[in-house]
């Protein structure tokens, strides 16, 4: 549509991380900032002329205004159509599904996921391709390159589009279709799981609590769990999306989902508890008095997925990110299926899913998903758990005990040192990296080091190599520590220290995780010299 290109120049630092571009909201709101990045994305993917794209976000502060800018830019760049969630809302998995279902050229998802929202908090934007998944490393590199060369962007001068009303309107030559954000996703879930069986479970008096953390899954969870599956009213708490997530971190872990944890560890705890994050792609699972680590959850889902109609014929294979525990590997080995180990971030699962090599994948950061979309999917994981609970007649505790009995227990924990000065964080990583080659065969704190390396991944489908994906040190007996720097933060650096120890002695399966992991923690701190180099006494978040 008619417009004058706006002259601009490159803005430094528009480099996408683990999951798109994440910045302080005020940074994104600076003049030209959003426009530069959106135009660079459009240029990086080779233009949008004649294309249709999905647009939606997690409802955080600036979501609505950013969508209006993106729509006007798509129109000016010659797009034929945009499909937008009503009110600008779409969970990340729902957006992935819409892209696939409607066969669009991709979509823009506005979210900083589990990071807090608000004018003084975080905002994010990512592009997903036609398969519904996060842009690959190669496409991401093209987008970044475009941000360093941009000289103009295109934006239509037009009125705001009404995103509150379902239906189709025109924005110049582009059609804008506002859709119910929940309907297609809910239908997909119903096609995967045994809804009558889950309904019968709730009718029998099974009690659940789902904490939507004031984020995007509220409307999805209420519609599916309460309105369709008959869970009691009030099962979903914090179910109305708010621009600042009620002032909290919409991060489903025992630290930030404290209300839910307190209830699940209290008297009269419900049978099942779950929470999801800002954009609805993560899940936390907790039984009465029993937190399920995401790594164990992935293993349980792999072991029992056949109980749900969509996975009744078994799994083609599974994949996990490198820092995720080896629990799922042991389940895969027992089933005789392949288990792939990928770098952190969902973009690395896309090729394996597209090629039909894996059905299920997951990360230690509370992300689990399958080939039904190309993103991790929080509510999907919760529904698969419910299907398994309903079909097996077992409790969360029964399933956990059986997993550990049959496969051994991978004690697991992640220690995050957040907001570390960037130089100091790099000093920790560089120092350890320099020593890696000499570590094998040496002893530290009574543990013998088996191997030490820096993880690199060769994509088995397209052969692309990705290096520098985390320092890992393995000990005799199956313990391991991994160090990597977060790629989703907006200030300073976050060092993540992932700790794991396999225990197969049937008498030693119910120790507190911190105790079981203490020797590994001590060895990791000694090896990295982390405390002295960062000046920090301990982690801020332990999950
Ligand atoms: C973190 C997690 C990673 C996840 C990513 C995006 O990345 O560790 O497993 O894929 O967030 O998830 P990092 O680089 O900070 O470790 V989400 O729900 O924030 O889009
Ligand atoms: Co997320």
């Amino acid at each position: 549509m008619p417009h004058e290109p706006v002259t601009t120049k490159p803005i430094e630092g528009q480099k996408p991380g683990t999951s798109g571009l994440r910045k302080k909201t005020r940074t994104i709101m600076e003049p030209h900032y959003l426009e530069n990045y959106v135009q660079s994305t459009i240029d990086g993917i080779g233009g949008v002329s004649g294309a249709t794209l999905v647009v939606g976000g997690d409802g955080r502060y600036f979501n609505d205004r950013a969508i209006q800018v993106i729509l006007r830019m798509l129109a000016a760049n010659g797009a034929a159509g945009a499909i937008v969630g009503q009110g600008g809302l779409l969970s990340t998995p729902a957006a992935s599904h819409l892209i696939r279902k409607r066969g669009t050229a991709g979509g823009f998802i506005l979210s900083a996921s589990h990071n807090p929202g608000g004018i003084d908090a975080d905002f994010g934007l990512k592009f997903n391709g036609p398969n519904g998944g996060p842009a690959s490393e190669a496409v991401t590199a093209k987008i970044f390159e475009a941000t360093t060369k941009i000289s103009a962007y295109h934006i239509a001068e037009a009125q705001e589009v009404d995103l509150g009303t379902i239906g189709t309107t025109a924005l110049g030559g582009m059609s804008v279709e506002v859709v119910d954000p929940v309907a297609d996703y809910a239908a997909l879930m119903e096609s995967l799981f045994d809804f009558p069986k889950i309904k019968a479970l709730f009718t029998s008096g099974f009690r659940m609590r789902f904490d939507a953390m004031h984020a995007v899954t509220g409307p999805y969870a209420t519609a599916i769990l309460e309105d369709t599956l008959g869970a009691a009213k009030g099962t979903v708490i914090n179910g109305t999306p708010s621009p600042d997530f009620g002032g909290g971190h919409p991060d489903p872990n025992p630290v930030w989902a404290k209300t839910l944890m307190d209830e699940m560890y209290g008297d009269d705890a419900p049978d099942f508890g779950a929470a999801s994050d800002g954009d609805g792609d993560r899940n936390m699972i907790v039984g009465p008095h029993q937190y399920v680590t995401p790594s164990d959850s992935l293993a349980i889902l792999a072991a029992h997925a056949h109980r749900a109609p969509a996975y009744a014929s078994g799994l083609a294979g599974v994949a996990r990110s490198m820092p995720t525990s080896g629990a799922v590997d042991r389940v895969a080995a027992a089933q005789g299926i392949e288990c792939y180990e990928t770098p952190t971030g969902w973009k690395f699962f896309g090729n394996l899913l597209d090629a039909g090599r894996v059905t299920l994948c997951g990360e230690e950061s509370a992300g689990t998903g399958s080939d039904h979309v190309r993103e991790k999917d929080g509510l999907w994981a919760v529904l698969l758990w419910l299907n398994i609970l309903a079909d097996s007649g077992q409790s969360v505790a029964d399933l956990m005990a059986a997993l550990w009995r049959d496969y051994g227990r991978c004690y697991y924990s992640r220690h995050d040192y957040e907001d570390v000065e960037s130089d100091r964080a790099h000093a920790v990583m560089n120092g350890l990296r320099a020593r890696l080659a000499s570590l094998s065969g040496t002893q530290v704190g009574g543990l013998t080091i088996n191997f030490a390396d820096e993880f690199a991944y060769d994509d088995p489908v397209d052969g692309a190599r990705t290096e520098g994906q985390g320092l890992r040190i393995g000990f005799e007996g199956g313990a391991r520590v991994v160090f990597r720097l977060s790629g989703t933060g907006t200030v300073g650096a976050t060092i993540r220290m992932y700790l794991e120890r396999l225990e197969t002695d049937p008498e030693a399966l119910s120790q507190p995780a911190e105790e079981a992991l203490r020797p590994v923690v001590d060895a990791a701190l000694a090896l990295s010299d982390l405390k002295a180099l960062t000046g920090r006494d301990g982690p801020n978040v332990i999950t």
Side-chain angles (χ1 to χ4, degrees):
M1 67 192 285
H3 67 279
E4 290 293 318
V6 179
T7 305
T8 187
K9 51 182 193 310
I11 298 173
E12 232 180 272
Q14 294 200 326
K15 193 171 171 61
T18 313
S19 180
L21 187 74
R22 288 204 191 161
K23 293 288 170 191
K24 285 283 161 211
T25 310
R26 285 188 196 274
T27 304
I28 300 251
M29 290 172 74
E30 279 165 15
H32 307 304
Y33 199 98
L34 176 66
E35 292 84 347
N36 266 26
Y37 191 71
V38 171
Q39 187 65 52
S40 300
T41 303
I42 292 171
D43 295 345
I45 62 170
V48 293
S49 179
T52 296
L53 291 116
V54 168
V55 186
D58 63 12
R60 69 180 59 221
Y61 184 86
F62 196 54
N63 188 59
D64 44 359
R65 275 174 285 167
I67 289 179
Q68 297 288 348
V69 170
I70 294 171
L71 291 176
R72 298 210 314 271
M73 291 187 67
L74 288 175
N77 278 278
I83 303 172
V84 193
Q86 187 179 21
L89 292 182
L90 276 178
S91 77
T92 287
S96 180
H97 177 53
L98 259 187
I99 293 170
R100 296 166 64 76
K101 182 172 182 218
R102 302 290 296 272
T104 74
F108 285 92
I109 302 177
L110 299 87
S111 171
S113 193
H114 59 287
N115 299 25
I119 187 156
D120 290 313
D122 296 345
F123 196 82
L125 178 60
K126 68 173 179 170
F127 181 78
N128 282 28
N131 73 344
S136 67
E137 285 283 87
V139 172
T140 304
K142 282 192 190 142
I143 293 172
F144 176 58
E145 203 198 328
T147 69
T148 65
K149 296 191 172 143
I150 187 165
S151 59
Y153 60 79
H154 303 273
I155 183 161
E157 279 169 32
Q159 297 216 310
E160 294 225 323
V161 180
D162 170 16
L163 299 179
T165 314
I166 289 175
T168 304
T169 50
L171 178 60
M174 181 176 89
S175 75
V176 179
E177 182 184 347
V178 176
V179 299
D180 177 342
V182 176
D184 289 310
Y185 178 83
L188 174 66
M189 293 301 115
E190 191 156 4
S191 76
L192 301 173
F193 300 116
D194 191 337
F195 270 31
K197 203 171 256 176
I198 301 174
K199 214 171 171 175
L201 180 71
F202 283 121
T203 311
S204 75
F206 180 90
R207 289 185 307 137
M208 171 177 183
R209 190 71 66 232
F210 181 94
D211 189 347
M213 304 191 85
H214 306 277
V216 79
T217 35
Y220 295 85
T222 307
I224 296 173
L225 297 173
E226 296 186 9
D227 302 345
T228 307
L229 292 169
K233 293 275 170 238
T235 294
V236 178
I237 56 170
N238 302 320
T240 306
S242 95
D244 71 345
F245 308 115
H249 283 236
D251 191 348
N253 65 37
V255 178
W256 293 114
K258 191 171 179 306
T259 322
L260 176 68
M261 287 300 279
D262 287 347
E263 187 177 4
M264 296 307 296
Y265 277 77
D267 301 336
D268 197 33
D271 301 295
F272 185 57
S276 191
D277 72 333
D279 60 332
D281 57 359
R282 296 190 182 198
N283 71 94
M284 179 178 89
I285 301 295
V286 54
H289 304 266
Q290 191 158 27
Y291 168 68
V292 182
T293 69
S295 296
D296 278 346
S297 174
L298 176 63
I300 285 176
L301 296 186
H304 295 273
H306 61 272
R307 295 180 183 278
Y311 312 102
S313 58
L315 307 174
V318 294
R320 63 161 171 86
S321 67
M322 184 275 283
T324 304
S325 96
V328 72
D329 304 39
R330 302 171 73 78
V331 173
Q335 291 181 9
I337 57 172
E338 197 71 40
C339 177
Y340 296 88
E341 188 177 38
T342 59
T344 295
W346 213 260
K347 59 186 155 205
F348 295 101
F349 293 131
N351 278 348
L352 295 170
L353 290 163
D354 285 349
R357 294 210 195 185
V358 304
T359 313
L360 229 62
C361 25
E363 296 190 281
E364 52 64 42
S365 55
T368 342
S370 89
D371 58 0
H372 69 290
V373 289
R374 291 295 180 273
E375 285 279 5
K376 52 191 193 257
D377 188 345
L379 205 46
W380 167 89
V382 171
L383 291 166
L384 181 50
W385 261 95
L386 284 169
N387 200 143
I388 291 168
L389 292 166
D391 187 68
S392 66
Q394 297 187 336
S395 66
V396 174
D398 295 338
L399 291 166
M400 296 280 280
L403 177 80
W404 297 342
R405 183 196 64 223
D406 295 346
Y407 303 98
R409 176 172 178 187
C410 291
Y411 283 101
Y412 191 86
S413 185
R414 189 179 90 191
H415 291 191
D416 290 338
Y417 291 77
E418 293 178 339
D419 211 356
V420 174
E421 223 176 89
S422 187
D423 287 353
R424 292 179 178 223
H426 283 100
V428 172
M429 297 297 284
N430 293 339
L432 186 57
R433 185 181 290 112
R435 290 194 300 280
L436 280 182
S438 62
L439 289 180
S440 186
T442 63
Q443 286 227 333
V444 55
L447 298 177
T448 305
I449 297 174
N450 246 355
F451 72 89
D453 65 6
E454 181 158 27
F455 182 58
Y457 178 64
D458 292 302
D459 187 304
V461 179
D462 66 12
R465 184 172 176 84
T466 311
E467 296 183 326
Q469 296 301 307
L471 309 178
R472 51 182 190 176
I473 295 139
F475 302 97
E476 235 165 54
R480 181 184 76 156
V481 59
V482 174
F483 291 87
R484 62 178 279 284
L485 298 182
S486 158
T488 55
T490 56
V491 279
T494 293
I495 304 176
R496 301 203 195 284
M497 190 168 104
Y498 308 82
L499 306 142
E500 174 179 5
R501 182 166 83 75
L502 172 67
E503 179 59 74
T504 50
D505 176 357
E507 302 301 314
L509 298 178
S510 35
Q511 309 167 52
E514 315 90 84
E515 251 167 56
L517 290 168
R518 192 153 300 141
V520 192
V521 175
D522 291 345
L525 291 175
L527 281 168
S528 61
D529 208 11
L530 193 147
K531 287 189 177 179
L533 288 172
T534 61
R536 297 285 275 271
D537 261 351
N540 332 40
V541 178
I542 297 184
T543 54

mmCIF file of all heavy atoms in Angstrom, residues 94-116:
data_model
loop_
_atom_site.group_PDB
_atom_site.id
_atom_site.type_symbol
_atom_site.label_atom_id
_atom_site.label_comp_id
_atom_site.label_asym_id
_atom_site.label_seq_id
_atom_site.Cartn_x
_atom_site.Cartn_y
_atom_site.Cartn_z
ATOM 1 N N ALA A 94 0.109 -22.350 20.297
ATOM 2 C CA ALA A 94 -1.079 -22.093 19.468
ATOM 3 C C ALA A 94 -0.681 -21.373 18.185
ATOM 4 O O ALA A 94 -1.239 -21.637 17.115
ATOM 5 C CB ALA A 94 -2.116 -21.286 20.244
ATOM 6 N N ALA A 95 0.296 -20.464 18.283
ATOM 7 C CA ALA A 95 0.785 -19.775 17.078
ATOM 8 C C ALA A 95 1.438 -20.787 16.136
ATOM 9 O O ALA A 95 1.215 -20.764 14.924
ATOM 10 C CB ALA A 95 1.775 -18.679 17.463
ATOM 11 N N SER A 96 2.233 -21.696 16.709
ATOM 12 C CA SER A 96 2.891 -22.715 15.893
ATOM 13 C C SER A 96 1.838 -23.554 15.161
ATOM 14 O O SER A 96 1.968 -23.850 13.968
ATOM 15 C CB SER A 96 3.757 -23.601 16.797
ATOM 16 O OG SER A 96 4.416 -24.591 16.046
ATOM 17 N N HIS A 97 0.785 -23.913 15.886
ATOM 18 C CA HIS A 97 -0.284 -24.720 15.268
ATOM 19 C C HIS A 97 -0.987 -23.955 14.147
ATOM 20 O O HIS A 97 -1.241 -24.517 13.076
ATOM 21 C CB HIS A 97 -1.287 -25.148 16.336
ATOM 22 C CG HIS A 97 -2.458 -25.909 15.785
ATOM 23 N ND1 HIS A 97 -2.286 -27.026 14.980
ATOM 24 C CD2 HIS A 97 -3.797 -25.716 15.874
ATOM 25 C CE1 HIS A 97 -3.481 -27.483 14.616
ATOM 26 N NE2 HIS A 97 -4.408 -26.703 15.139
ATOM 27 N N LEU A 98 -1.276 -22.670 14.383
ATOM 28 C CA LEU A 98 -1.975 -21.871 13.362
ATOM 29 C C LEU A 98 -1.142 -21.758 12.080
ATOM 30 O O LEU A 98 -1.671 -21.857 10.976
ATOM 31 C CB LEU A 98 -2.239 -20.457 13.891
ATOM 32 C CG LEU A 98 -3.633 -20.101 14.397
ATOM 33 C CD1 LEU A 98 -3.689 -18.606 14.700
ATOM 34 C CD2 LEU A 98 -4.731 -20.473 13.397
ATOM 35 N N ILE A 99 0.160 -21.548 12.261
ATOM 36 C CA ILE A 99 1.053 -21.463 11.091
ATOM 37 C C ILE A 99 0.939 -22.746 10.270
ATOM 38 O O ILE A 99 0.822 -22.725 9.045
ATOM 39 C CB ILE A 99 2.519 -21.249 11.540
ATOM 40 C CG1 ILE A 99 2.692 -19.877 12.190
ATOM 41 C CG2 ILE A 99 3.485 -21.417 10.360
ATOM 42 C CD1 ILE A 99 4.043 -19.665 12.889
ATOM 43 N N ARG A 100 0.962 -23.879 10.965
ATOM 44 C CA ARG A 100 0.919 -25.173 10.273
ATOM 45 C C ARG A 100 -0.450 -25.427 9.657
ATOM 46 O O ARG A 100 -0.564 -25.846 8.506
ATOM 47 C CB ARG A 100 1.267 -26.291 11.251
ATOM 48 C CG ARG A 100 2.691 -26.184 11.777
ATOM 49 C CD ARG A 100 2.913 -27.065 12.985
ATOM 50 N NE ARG A 100 2.780 -28.485 12.698
ATOM 51 C CZ ARG A 100 3.697 -29.209 12.079
ATOM 52 N NH1 ARG A 100 4.815 -28.634 11.674
ATOM 53 N NH2 ARG A 100 3.508 -30.493 11.875
ATOM 54 N N LYS A 101 -1.477 -25.173 10.463
ATOM 55 C CA LYS A 101 -2.832 -25.498 10.015
ATOM 56 C C LYS A 101 -3.226 -24.663 8.800
ATOM 57 O O LYS A 101 -3.837 -25.166 7.858
ATOM 58 C CB LYS A 101 -3.815 -25.234 11.158
ATOM 59 C CG LYS A 101 -5.223 -25.598 10.792
ATOM 60 C CD LYS A 101 -6.204 -25.546 11.933
ATOM 61 C CE LYS A 101 -7.550 -25.983 11.397
ATOM 62 N NZ LYS A 101 -8.654 -25.235 11.950
ATOM 63 N N ARG A 102 -2.864 -23.384 8.832
ATOM 64 C CA ARG A 102 -3.263 -22.495 7.750
ATOM 65 C C ARG A 102 -2.208 -22.418 6.645
ATOM 66 O O ARG A 102 -2.381 -21.676 5.678
ATOM 67 C CB ARG A 102 -3.544 -21.096 8.327
ATOM 68 C CG ARG A 102 -4.637 -21.100 9.427
ATOM 69 C CD ARG A 102 -6.017 -21.388 8.858
ATOM 70 N NE ARG A 102 -6.420 -20.352 7.952
ATOM 71 C CZ ARG A 102 -7.052 -19.229 8.313
ATOM 72 N NH1 ARG A 102 -7.408 -19.079 9.580
ATOM 73 N NH2 ARG A 102 -7.344 -18.304 7.445
ATOM 74 N N GLY A 103 -1.131 -23.156 6.809
ATOM 75 C CA GLY A 103 -0.093 -23.190 5.772
ATOM 76 C C GLY A 103 0.507 -21.831 5.475
ATOM 77 O O GLY A 103 0.782 -21.497 4.321
ATOM 78 N N THR A 104 0.738 -21.028 6.494
ATOM 79 C CA THR A 104 1.263 -19.683 6.256
ATOM 80 C C THR A 104 2.781 -19.716 6.077
ATOM 81 O O THR A 104 3.434 -20.728 6.315
ATOM 82 C CB THR A 104 0.934 -18.721 7.419
ATOM 83 O OG1 THR A 104 1.765 -19.024 8.533
ATOM 84 C CG2 THR A 104 -0.525 -18.808 7.816
ATOM 85 N N ALA A 105 3.322 -18.564 5.686
ATOM 86 C CA ALA A 105 4.774 -18.455 5.472
ATOM 87 C C ALA A 105 5.531 -18.353 6.793
ATOM 88 O O ALA A 105 6.748 -18.259 6.798
ATOM 89 C CB ALA A 105 5.066 -17.233 4.610
ATOM 90 N N GLY A 106 4.795 -18.337 7.891
ATOM 91 C CA GLY A 106 5.442 -18.239 9.202
ATOM 92 C C GLY A 106 4.662 -17.297 10.095
ATOM 93 O O GLY A 106 3.475 -17.047 9.855
ATOM 94 N N GLY A 107 5.331 -16.783 11.101
ATOM 95 C CA GLY A 107 4.626 -15.878 11.996
ATOM 96 C C GLY A 107 5.553 -15.159 12.956
ATOM 97 O O GLY A 107 6.686 -15.582 13.183
ATOM 98 N N PHE A 108 5.031 -14.039 13.471
ATOM 99 C CA PHE A 108 5.748 -13.287 14.495
ATOM 100 C C PHE A 108 5.120 -13.601 15.857
ATOM 101 O O PHE A 108 3.902 -13.466 16.017
ATOM 102 C CB PHE A 108 5.628 -11.783 14.237
ATOM 103 C CG PHE A 108 6.488 -11.295 13.100
ATOM 104 C CD1 PHE A 108 5.983 -11.222 11.805
ATOM 105 C CD2 PHE A 108 7.804 -10.914 13.328
ATOM 106 C CE1 PHE A 108 6.777 -10.770 10.759
ATOM 107 C CE2 PHE A 108 8.602 -10.467 12.283
ATOM 108 C CZ PHE A 108 8.090 -10.391 11.003
ATOM 109 N N ILE A 109 5.951 -14.012 16.805
ATOM 110 C CA ILE A 109 5.455 -14.271 18.163
ATOM 111 C C ILE A 109 6.109 -13.257 19.090
ATOM 112 O O ILE A 109 7.338 -13.154 19.162
ATOM 113 C CB ILE A 109 5.755 -15.712 18.610
ATOM 114 C CG1 ILE A 109 5.128 -16.709 17.629
ATOM 115 C CG2 ILE A 109 5.233 -15.949 20.024
ATOM 116 C CD1 ILE A 109 5.426 -18.170 17.932
ATOM 117 N N LEU A 110 5.260 -12.500 19.786
ATOM 118 C CA LEU A 110 5.765 -11.454 20.663
ATOM 119 C C LEU A 110 5.757 -11.975 22.082
ATOM 120 O O LEU A 110 4.683 -12.177 22.676
ATOM 121 C CB LEU A 110 4.888 -10.204 20.551
ATOM 122 C CG LEU A 110 4.836 -9.573 19.150
ATOM 123 C CD1 LEU A 110 3.755 -10.222 18.314
ATOM 124 C CD2 LEU A 110 4.586 -8.087 19.252
ATOM 125 N N SER A 111 6.933 -12.226 22.622
ATOM 126 C CA SER A 111 7.008 -12.742 23.977
ATOM 127 C C SER A 111 8.443 -12.718 24.468
ATOM 128 O O SER A 111 9.375 -12.890 23.698
ATOM 129 C CB SER A 111 6.532 -14.196 24.006
ATOM 130 O OG SER A 111 6.800 -14.738 25.286
ATOM 131 N N ALA A 112 8.586 -12.494 25.776
ATOM 132 C CA ALA A 112 9.881 -12.745 26.405
ATOM 133 C C ALA A 112 9.695 -13.915 27.365
ATOM 134 O O ALA A 112 10.401 -14.041 28.366
ATOM 135 C CB ALA A 112 10.409 -11.508 27.110
ATOM 136 N N SER A 113 8.688 -14.744 27.054
ATOM 137 C CA SER A 113 8.479 -16.012 27.745
ATOM 138 C C SER A 113 8.385 -15.878 29.266
ATOM 139 O O SER A 113 7.519 -15.197 29.762
ATOM 140 C CB SER A 113 9.584 -16.970 27.330
ATOM 141 O OG SER A 113 9.267 -18.260 27.715
ATOM 142 N N HIS A 114 9.331 -16.498 29.970
ATOM 143 C CA HIS A 114 9.255 -16.519 31.435
ATOM 144 C C HIS A 114 9.821 -15.244 32.062
ATOM 145 O O HIS A 114 9.757 -15.080 33.273
ATOM 146 C CB HIS A 114 10.046 -17.726 31.954
ATOM 147 C CG HIS A 114 11.471 -17.689 31.528
ATOM 148 N ND1 HIS A 114 11.858 -17.938 30.233
ATOM 149 C CD2 HIS A 114 12.593 -17.379 32.201
ATOM 150 C CE1 HIS A 114 13.167 -17.802 30.133
ATOM 151 N NE2 HIS A 114 13.645 -17.464 31.309
ATOM 152 N N ASN A 115 10.391 -14.343 31.246
ATOM 153 C CA ASN A 115 10.910 -13.089 31.818
ATOM 154 C C ASN A 115 9.727 -12.207 32.237
ATOM 155 O O ASN A 115 8.697 -12.208 31.582
ATOM 156 C CB ASN A 115 11.734 -12.320 30.779
ATOM 157 C CG ASN A 115 12.955 -13.084 30.288
ATOM 158 O OD1 ASN A 115 12.972 -14.304 30.330
ATOM 159 N ND2 ASN A 115 13.949 -12.384 29.810
ATOM 160 N N PRO A 116 9.890 -11.406 33.292
ATOM 161 C CA PRO A 116 8.795 -10.549 33.729
ATOM 162 C C PRO A 116 8.398 -9.528 32.663
ATOM 163 O O PRO A 116 9.187 -9.230 31.758
ATOM 164 C CB PRO A 116 9.341 -9.848 34.976
ATOM 165 C CG PRO A 116 10.764 -10.207 35.093
ATOM 166 C CD PRO A 116 11.070 -11.314 34.161
#
